[in-house]
Every structure is written in structure tokens, then in C-alpha cells.
Amino acid sequence: MSDTYKSPLILISNDDGVTAPGISFLVNQMMKLGEVVVVAPDKPQSGMGHAITLGNPLRLEKVTIFDGVEAYKCSGTPADCVKIAKHYVLHDRKPDLVVSGINHGANSSVNVIYSGTMSAAIEAAMEGLPSIGFSLCDHSHEADFSHCLDFVYNIAKKVLENPVEAGVALNVNFPAKSENSLKGIKICRQANAKWNEEFETRKDPFDSKYYWMKGEFENLDDGNDSDLYALENNYVSIVPCKYDLTDYNTIDTLKKIF
Amino acid sequence: MSDTYKSPLILISNDDGVTAPGISFLVNQMMKLGEVVVVAPDKPQSGMGHAITLGNPLRLEKVTIFDGVEAYKCSGTPADCVKIAKHYVLHDRKPDLVVSGINHGANSSVNVIYSGTMSAAIEAAMEGLPSIGFSLCDHSHEADFSHCLDFVYNIAKKVLENPVEAGVALNVNFPAKSENSLKGIKICRQANAKWNEEFETRKDPFDSKYYWMKGEFENLDDGNDSDLYALENNYVSIVPCKYDLTDYNTIDTLKKIF
């Protein structure tokens, strides 16, 4: 390391909120790699997708829950957290890496579009910053993250050393802890799958109806290059994600119709 | 039309809420094409991206604001509205088309990822349903939609006659009303652009700080095949959008790094 080496600046967010166990594991790993700043939601924001707060102001408060780390809780969504971190908290300091998670729950396959964890990473990618979202396929608050930690460190280190193309966020998912060791990393595409939803109808104490969404996840993909295939076979999956939603394959078809 | 012709079933949602003027224009046009059912948010949901409601129940109530149309207001996000419409309100009836809007405000370029309007259309595409999100580049509540209405009708009619590939949602944007007539339709890709944000710091009546996000939109794209180019030249832009966020171009690069 040369004398001019500057410790990388790593911004951390998540969607389970600043007090979730997953983010503290992430902070601990990232502190070994550089200077860490945390800006994370003040409450759980699961399923927030790429929501941002437009019609309301945001609150931002310093918290002292991570030893030796500058950290803030924010009243907004994960995407808001990245925006306020980049444009207010960090002033003109540009993070070398933005990481989000470790999420309590899978963000593989189609779930990426609903994911608050990944929205923080994708928002960073939109700002041209290298970014990674980490998720564990176990949504319990007491989930065991021990098998992920070396991978989290090594994946972040590799991205710091080899920043991927601007505009790309890595979606990293870990299989839930089991008696089998993880077999390694697979670079994947997002699996084709769907949620088959149901709305459970209930009545509140005032006899008014309300509806609670529940669903069964259905894997429709039989390829061996998908993230679901990797996870089912005890690999860590990494899917590069972009924010350009254009379906280039359909442009010519549409030109014939319109 | 043969004797066996069945009127198409058209589901309508939006993100400005069920009472926004834009949705009533859309309802009026779609009633000429088939049977309409509306399930739309009970309050504005702009910028909600692809958020869904997981930790809370939903409320759903019938409203009688559109003459002769079955309509509901829902306490959830635009994506929730499509889910509860598909899996509860419509029971086993599959819509022939899902349309969202007409949004008061542009959803061109990178804004698609923040858009509640487009999340309803993309959620429908995830269910394999043909879908369109309509937006007007004028966010005023009193926006003039008159120049869009024939296009809205004709675009929806063409999609009913030529359903595009499952999994694709059309993102249709209209230039704001001006003295010049619209020149026609352009099939486009999403323009590369960004928001340069700022957070205005204010104090509430209790002397506590709060922050309000504002931003300047910057077009970084000099191509003539982008939606921003089409809109600037007074064309209606149509971008096909997909929910697979995988950046296939980066997979090989990542395989070399990891």
C-alpha cells in the first residue's frame, strides 16, 4: 500500500431499519475495508421497492449504535436514505462503495423489484456509484448470518478493487444457514418466477373488513443459470442489476404495431 | 364483430388517487373499448415506485364516482391495487388489458423506476397481462388532457388487438398541451438522465430540523431514439418496459472478477 493510499469511503443502508441485526453485521465487515458512514431507515421499510418521499419532508437524526461509526436514522425510504446521504450527509465526498443489507429475507428472482434493500443499491448505481445489496434467504429477526460474513467482506473487497460498470448494482443473495457449507459464488441472471397471491379477509373490532396479502412463490424457471438455481444448490448468487427498464427486444415489434 | 364477441375487460388504476382528473379521462376512453373496473389508491401515491404493503392490512371500499363503472378505492400502493384487483375483486376473471394513469406528471426516462403509475402497469405485466401506463408531462391538478384522449383510445385499442409479449408494459408519455399539435407516436428507449438533488433544510414550529428533497432533472442523452427526444419534439413516446432487471451485458465481466 503506497503512502498516498486513502481509505475507501463506504456508505451503508438497508430496508429493515437501522436497528436490524443484519446491518450491524454489514457494518462490522465494512469497517475492515474502509471508513463507514451509515444512513438507514428509522423503521422497517420492507417491500418499499424504489419508493421516494416527495410530498413530505424527511427527518434525519444521528445515532450512536455502531462503535466508532458515523450513523444516522432517516424517516424515509431506502432510496431516500441514499439520496440524503449523497447530497446532504456526505456533502461533496463521493462514496467508493454503497452497500445495503444484510436483508433479513430473500431478494432473488422477481423480488428484486419489490425490494427496499436493492432500491438503495440501485439508487446508488443511478448516481454512478459501485453498489451491492446483500440479502439472506431467512427473514427471521434472529437469522444466523455467520456463514455469510467472509463472503460479504470478500465480495465488497473485490468490487472496491474492480469497480463494475457505472449503473450496475450487484444483487447478492445467500442461502439460509444449514449444516452444509456454502459451495461458492455463482454469477446469475434473475430467475423467472411469480407470486400467487391471496387476500385474507378479516374484520376489525368495529366490524369493518380488511384484507391481508399473502402469497405462494412459484419458480417458473428451469434454467441452471438463474439465481434461484444457485441458491437451491447452496451457492451464493450474484445478479448484476440495471435501472434501464427498456425491453429492447420488443422495440421492433412495437414499431410494426404503431 | 361476430356474435361470439365478448367485450374486453379493462382494469384501471393510477397513482394520483381515485379522485384525480387524469383517471376519469382514462375511464371515459376505456368505456368505449370494453367493460371497465377501477381499483385505485384512496390517496396520492406519487413516487411510490414498486412498493407493496406487507406489514399492514389493506382497506378496499366501493366508490360511485364513475357513472356505470364498478370502482373501488384501496388504501395501498398502485402495485397493491393491481394485486387486490386481480386476486380478489375480479376473482377468476382475467383482464384483457390493464391501464394506469393518466398520470399528472412525466414518467419518461429514469423516472419510470420511481413511478407509481408504471408500477401498476409493470405489476400487471408480471402477471402476464397486457398493460399500459399513460402519463402527461404536466403535473398540475388542472392539466389539460384534451390532446391525449384520441391517442389513449387508439393505443389501448391497438394493444387489445395486438397484445404485446407477456411481461412487457408500455410506458406512454404525452408532451404537455401546447399550441402545436402532437406529431404522432415514437417507439423509444428510456433516455439516460439523472436528478441532481438538494435537500432544503428547514425548522418546524418546535425548532427541530427537517429536510425537503428538491431536484433538477438533467438529460444526459444525445440520442434521437430516446423518449426525452421524442417528447421534446412533440411526439408521444412509447417505451416497452420489463421487470427483469438483470444486466446481461455485465455477466461475463463479473464471471472474470469472481
Side-chain angles (χ1 to χ4, degrees), chain B residues 81-192:
Chain B
C81 289
V82 171
K83 284 181 185 289
I84 203 167
K86 170 103 186 349
H87 297 291
Y88 178 77
V89 174
L90 297 174
H91 302 287
D92 293 329
R93 299 178 67 203
K94 190 175 159 185
D96 298 286
L97 178 63
V98 179
V99 289
S100 177
I102 306 170
N103 191 57
H104 295 240
N107 280 316
S108 50
S109 179
V110 292
N111 298 304
V112 63
I113 209 163
Y114 302 115
S115 165
T117 304
M118 279 307 296
S119 78
I122 291 172
E123 183 61 38
M126 293 173 81
E127 294 276 359
L129 304 172
S131 68
I132 315 169
F134 291 106
S135 304
L136 174 66
C137 298
D138 180 345
H139 67 264
S140 135
H141 186 78
E142 293 78 27
D144 186 342
F145 288 90
S146 60
H147 60 309
C148 313
L149 302 181
D150 286 349
F151 281 99
V152 167
Y153 173 86
N154 286 318
I155 291 169
K157 187 162 181 282
K158 282 206 172 160
V159 172
L160 280 168
E161 287 163 358
N162 308 276
V164 289
E165 204 189 337
V168 177
L170 302 191
N171 182 17
V172 179
N173 281 264
F174 297 99
K177 173 84 172 183
S178 73
E179 58 197 12
N180 303 312
S181 309
L182 296 178
K183 286 186 196 154
I185 290 170
K186 287 268 190 211
I187 308 300
C188 310
R189 62 171 172 79
Q190 169 182 328
N192 183 25

Side-chain angles (χ1 to χ4, degrees), chain A residues 247-251 253-254 257, chain B residues 125 128-131 159 162-170 240-243:
Chain A
D247 184 24
Y248 290 91
N249 295 330
T250 309
I251 284 182
T253 313
L254 288 181
I257 298 176
Chain B
L129 304 172
S131 68
V159 172
N162 308 276
V164 289
E165 204 189 337
V168 177
L170 302 191
C241 295
K242 61 191 176 120
Y243 59 87

